[in-house]
Amino acid sequence: MSVKADQLSTQEYIVRWNQFLERFIVFETVFSEYTRTSKNIIKGRCLVDENLESLNEYFQSRILESS
């Protein structure tokens, strides 16, 4: 089985690596916010319109934006 490997210039490699890191940071930030907000909702420390369903919808939209 042969695998084709692309040769990247240093600049292209850095650009791709930075894109990967940006996506990872966005995911980590969104997931941390999701966890913190979930805990606040469960403890009752939330706004009237905050609930786990709306939080899930927001989380899903943020993940799709980062893709």
Side-chain angles (χ1 to χ4, degrees):
M1 178 171 139
S2 65
V3 176
K4 183 182 177 202
D6 293 333
Q7 290 287 345
L8 300 176
S9 67
T10 304
Q11 185 175 6
E12 182 65 23
Y13 176 81
I14 292 170
V15 167
R16 287 188 185 188
W17 184 246
N18 283 339
Q19 289 171 342
F20 169 78
L21 289 177
E22 285 176 27
R23 287 187 193 119
F24 182 76
I25 290 169
V26 167
F27 178 78
E28 194 276 332
T29 302
V30 170
F31 190 73
S32 296
E33 291 175 11
Y34 181 86
T35 303
R36 187 174 339 119
T37 304
S38 294
K39 288 178 182 177
N40 286 336
I41 289 171
I42 290 168
K43 292 177 181 178
R45 299 182 197 157
C46 58
L47 300 174
V48 174
D49 64 342
E50 289 181 323
N51 57 48
L52 293 176
E53 183 180 337
S54 65
L55 178 62
N56 185 44
E57 290 171 6
Y58 177 74
F59 178 72
Q60 293 297 328
S61 69
R62 290 293 302 263
I63 293 299
L64 291 176
E65 286 176 9
S66 68
S67 299

